[in-house]
Amino acid sequence: METLQASWQGLSVLFTWPVFGLMLVGTAIGLGFGLLPGLGGGITAMALVLPFVWGADPFFAVAILAAILGSTGTSGNFSATLFNVPGSPSNAATILDAYPLARQGQAGRALGAAFTSSAMGGILGALVLALTIPIVRPLVLLFASPERFMLVLMAVFAIGALAGSKPLRGLLAGAVGLLLSLIGMDPQSGVPRYTFDQSNLVYGMALLPLIMGLFALPEVIDLALRGRIASEDNPVSSNQGGVVRGILDSFVHWRTVLRGTVIGIIGGIMPAVGGTGSAFWAYAYEAQACKKDGKFGKGDIRGVIAPETANNAVTPGDLIPTVAFGIPGSAMAAVMMAGLIMVGITPGPAMLKEHLPLTFFVAWTIAASNLIGTAACLLLTNPLSRVSRVPAGTIVPFVIMFVFLGSYLEQTQMSDVVLALLIGALGYVMMRQSWPRSPLLVGFILGALAERYFFTSYEAWGLEFILRPVTLILAIILVASLIYPFLRRPSKSPLPGDAE
Amino acid sequence: MTVKKGIISADLLLSVGLALAFGGALLQATRWPHQASLFPIVVGSSGLVLAVVEIGNHLRNRNKPEMLQGDQIEPAAGLWRQDFGTFAWIVGILAATFLAGFQWGLPAVIMLYYRFQSKQKLFLVVILTGLCWGVVYAWTALLHLTLYPGLLARLVPWE
């Protein structure tokens, strides 16, 4: 009963002012960043929006952030279909059939199917998230410090080991994140650690410069180097005539939609798979399932529906471990978690216990932004597709300006802007050399929690805390997920973390 | 696509840098009381071991051509120089902000960027720079912030 009430409360808040307006703003931002390939999609958008939600009402902050999460993947279809350039990495699998369809004069059909299936995946995924909350809540509340410590370690190191084709680099990135989280005064003893006698480091390293430097700056440097956003070579016309046919295709192939949704949700829950991995997984599964009558790679509409359903269902799936256990499974979820922390909410058991309506609100916002984003894309196909052609040189200085302002905001210190620049240099080298960046962020966000849970467990049970049954099972899963990537055969195709 | 690795590469430099950072962190942690040093020692030593293994891997495979992953760029001659060029613009924007503050320094260098780096037409440069200035102004007004005024404003207090 309490859960139902909280769910209704979360839904009713969505339709109040200014929450609904903020959700629309978030949806517009998400669509904008999806439209502009090379800007890094939702993660850059969320990073740049974080300064604005600093200290805001949690519902206001979630309305914007969750709407960005829900809508970015949808608009990425424009450039994927018309220019053969994915709007965000998660649209990469869509290109395989959407672009051939567009070249056959069926761009409208491909776009219609992509938008509709994106909405279906996002809404079904959000419903699963809402239904999962009451199931996992009692389980999560039973977990004590040792189990939570293990979960935090799993979040940092499993993501590190599973992201990309070089697990060692992911683990190293996670360790760097943990190390950076140790900067500042030790909460147990009051000893300043790694502060180098700098008073501005006593309370730890600020989160915003890290996020801005790690994700926004590398993308903007890369964009500035490429000089243009989408390829102007052979752009195809967005023939709107087939849009309705594309919408109907998504309903005709409802089995493909369901399969894509299930794969997306599972991919979201699993660490490090993310939108890109799930979309390729759904595409490969669909191509295998329809081997007899399929024209995959040559313009099969199911090759558009499957990845698009999956990459939008990933977001709610990704948020299940984030809101339930406080362990983000991807960089996007980590930034969402950072946003929640900034407004005083700690995702995990505490959020499920004390902020249940807000937890449901996340799911409803994602569903609503998916629906509204899809409607906007369907109604404004032609004008929106033109946005993809904005020259990179126009956007780059604006993004740099937001990075500087955002980094400055948290502690109003110029040293944080310098810090963002230094982290940006590190982030760019990591991006260029295919080192996964998300484990670093996850390590940084969860570092303080890891240390706290470790000490609480150690003081209560000594090192024997590891022998508690659930802790032991989690430890075995962690060790297995660390060993597995080293045993698997080297893959010739890029893994999810590579395209991060 | 494959690419042959050199003995010294960005990967190796990054791994060595991380090994040094973890080593330094470990060394410093040993000077703190037990309670404050336990977790940093665990993290520092694990990181150091991982970094050393990564360096070892790199040196062992230095003659093997490497498969390019995902959207990884082939390190063509001059590419790093272009990276530094872009990075220099960002450093320039930072330096101008230090000197003349967010309200004037930041839009001023952005104007130069539009004119000389992205080679926009003069009238577009004026509009886009004005827009940047407006964003900074709106930012301070919306968030009720006092932005850094710049060194020059401190030396020559014109306001």
Side-chain angles (χ1 to χ4, degrees):
Chain A
M1 195 63 202
E2 183 201 359
T3 314
L4 261 179
Q5 232 171 6
S7 171
W8 175 247
Q9 213 178 326
L11 185 64
S12 50
V13 172
L14 180 61
F15 295 101
T16 57
W17 187 259
V19 176
F20 192 77
L22 291 169
M23 188 270 291
L24 290 181
V25 171
T27 306
I29 295 171
L31 290 178
F33 272 77
L35 280 169
L36 301 169
L39 264 182
I43 188 142
T44 313
M46 288 173 78
L48 294 176
V49 161
L50 280 182
F52 289 97
V53 303
W54 179 266
D57 181 284
F59 282 99
F60 294 179
V62 168
I64 296 186
L65 294 174
I68 294 174
L69 264 179
S71 57
T72 315
T74 308
S75 57
N77 289 310
F78 278 112
S79 56
T81 306
L82 303 177
F83 302 109
N84 205 22
V85 178
S88 59
S90 63
N91 299 112
T94 312
I95 284 178
L96 299 173
D97 277 286
Y99 190 64
L101 274 168
R103 297 199 70 168
Q104 292 161 24
Q106 299 184 57
R109 184 186 176 203
L111 286 171
F115 296 143
T116 313
S117 51
S118 290
M120 287 168 148
I123 293 166
L124 288 172
L127 286 176
V128 172
L129 169 63
L131 290 172
T132 311
I133 293 165
I135 300 167
V136 294
R137 190 169 176 250
L139 179 79
V140 170
L141 295 180
L142 283 176
F143 279 15
S145 292
E147 289 80 32
R148 289 180 194 176
F149 173 65
M150 272 301 146
L151 284 173
V152 169
L153 284 192
M154 276 175 72
V156 179
F157 290 112
I159 290 172
L162 297 171
S165 50
K166 294 189 173 158
L168 200 60
R169 293 179 177 183
L171 294 176
L172 251 173
V176 173
L178 286 176
L179 187 66
L180 292 178
S181 77
L182 294 172
I183 294 173
M185 198 187 290
D186 171 38
Q188 331 286 332
S189 62
V191 174
R193 298 185 299 196
Y194 308 125
T195 55
F196 306 103
D197 296 326
Q198 299 291 312
S199 58
N200 52 336
L201 289 178
V202 169
Y203 295 104
M205 210 172 101
L207 181 60
L208 275 176
L210 184 94
I211 296 176
M212 296 284 180
L214 204 55
F215 293 100
L217 267 185
E219 300 297 343
V220 89
I221 296 173
D222 190 45
L223 186 63
L225 277 177
R226 274 188 278 137
R228 57 184 178 174
I229 286 182
S231 164
E232 293 278 339
D233 306 333
N234 306 321
V236 289
S237 148
S238 58
N239 168 22
Q240 283 207 47
V243 171
V244 176
R245 190 175 164 203
I247 296 171
L248 292 174
D249 278 328
S250 301
F251 290 96
V252 170
H253 298 291
W254 60 272
R255 282 193 186 88
T256 307
V257 169
L258 279 185
R259 281 195 285 261
T261 306
V262 172
I263 289 174
I265 292 168
I266 295 172
I269 295 170
M270 284 166 66
V273 176
T276 316
S278 300
F280 275 106
W281 182 8
Y283 182 87
Y285 189 89
E286 201 57 33
Q288 190 66 28
C290 312
K291 208 162 40 181
K292 283 180 189 164
D293 61 334
K295 290 188 293 175
F296 286 85
K298 292 172 189 159
D300 193 310
I301 199 69
R302 288 167 296 185
V304 176
I305 296 171
E308 275 310 311
T309 316
N311 72 22
N312 270 39
V314 156
T315 308
D318 205 3
L319 288 178
I320 293 173
T322 310
V323 297
F325 302 102
I327 49 167
S330 69
M332 289 267 273
V335 177
M336 177 77 191
M337 186 168 166
L340 286 166
I341 291 169
M342 281 178 175
V343 294
I345 308 284
T346 309
M351 185 171 169
L352 287 180
K353 201 173 175 181
E354 293 153 25
H355 303 281
L356 200 53
L358 184 71
T359 314
F360 280 104
F361 178 75
V362 175
W364 302 137
T365 308
I366 289 173
S369 68
N370 261 290
L371 203 63
I372 293 169
T374 301
C377 287
L378 286 172
L379 292 171
L380 305 167
T381 304
N382 272 341
L384 287 180
S385 63
R386 273 186 223 120
V387 179
S388 302
R389 298 182 199 183
V390 174
T394 312
I395 294 164
V396 166
F398 273 93
V399 181
I400 295 173
M401 183 178 69
F402 277 112
V403 167
F404 277 28
L405 288 167
S407 307
Y408 177 78
L409 177 79
E410 192 170 340
Q411 304 187 98
T412 57
Q413 284 171 350
M414 279 305 283
S415 55
D416 279 348
V417 185
V418 179
L419 184 68
L421 203 64
L422 294 175
I423 300 274
L426 173 71
Y428 185 67
V429 175
M430 288 176 82
M431 188 177 86
R432 276 276 304 264
Q433 301 304 120
S434 286
W435 284 57
R437 289 168 289 164
S438 41
L440 197 159
L441 178 63
V442 175
F444 181 78
I445 291 177
L446 297 180
L449 270 182
E451 189 172 13
R452 196 200 311 157
Y453 289 146
F454 177 73
F455 263 102
T456 319
S457 313
Y458 185 74
E459 284 189 358
W461 290 278
L463 278 177
E464 285 169 16
F465 76 81
I466 196 87
L467 298 174
R468 284 165 59 92
V470 180
T471 315
L472 196 61
I473 293 169
L474 291 172
I476 292 168
I477 296 172
L478 173 65
V479 172
S481 61
L482 292 183
I483 294 173
Y484 164 73
F486 292 95
L487 299 179
R488 75 183 168 202
R489 280 169 51 208
S491 164
K492 285 190 175 179
S493 58
L495 289 164
D498 297 326
E500 184 188 63
Chain B
M1 192 193 294
T2 59
V3 61
K4 202 175 176 186
K5 287 192 289 189
I7 293 174
I8 294 176
S9 68
D11 275 333
L12 182 64
L13 291 177
L14 188 57
S15 309
V16 170
L18 292 180
L20 290 174
F22 281 116
L26 189 59
L27 205 66
Q28 206 169 16
T30 52
R31 295 177 194 147
W32 300 325
H34 174 72
Q35 207 174 24
S37 67
L38 186 58
F39 202 63
I41 287 175
V42 172
V43 174
S45 48
S46 323
L48 183 61
V49 170
L50 289 169
V52 169
V53 174
E54 176 66 21
I55 294 168
N57 273 348
H58 185 89
L59 293 175
R60 209 179 57 218
N61 300 324
R62 66 183 180 273
N63 292 324
K64 282 186 194 166
E66 191 181 17
M67 203 62 195
L68 287 181
Q69 302 287 342
D71 53 0
Q72 192 181 1
I73 310 156
E74 187 186 0
L79 198 61
W80 281 109
R81 206 185 317 145
Q82 282 179 38
D83 294 352
F84 283 124
T86 310
F87 206 72
W89 270 106
I90 300 176
V91 174
I93 296 174
L94 177 68
T97 311
F98 255 115
L99 271 178
F102 279 100
Q103 194 71 69
W104 301 106
L106 192 66
V109 186
I110 282 179
M111 184 175 75
L112 294 176
Y113 184 95
Y114 277 133
R115 190 71 188 121
F116 298 107
Q117 178 72 9
S118 67
K119 296 187 173 62
Q120 305 275 5
K121 286 176 187 160
L122 196 61
F123 114 97
L124 257 180
V125 171
V126 173
I127 290 176
L128 291 168
T129 309
L131 203 59
C132 279
W133 188 88
V135 169
V136 177
Y137 185 82
W139 180 283
T140 43
L142 276 174
L143 299 175
H144 307 292
L145 271 179
T146 310
L147 289 177
Y148 175 73
L151 278 178
L152 289 178
R154 285 182 183 172
L155 295 173
V156 190
W158 59 75
E159 283 178 22

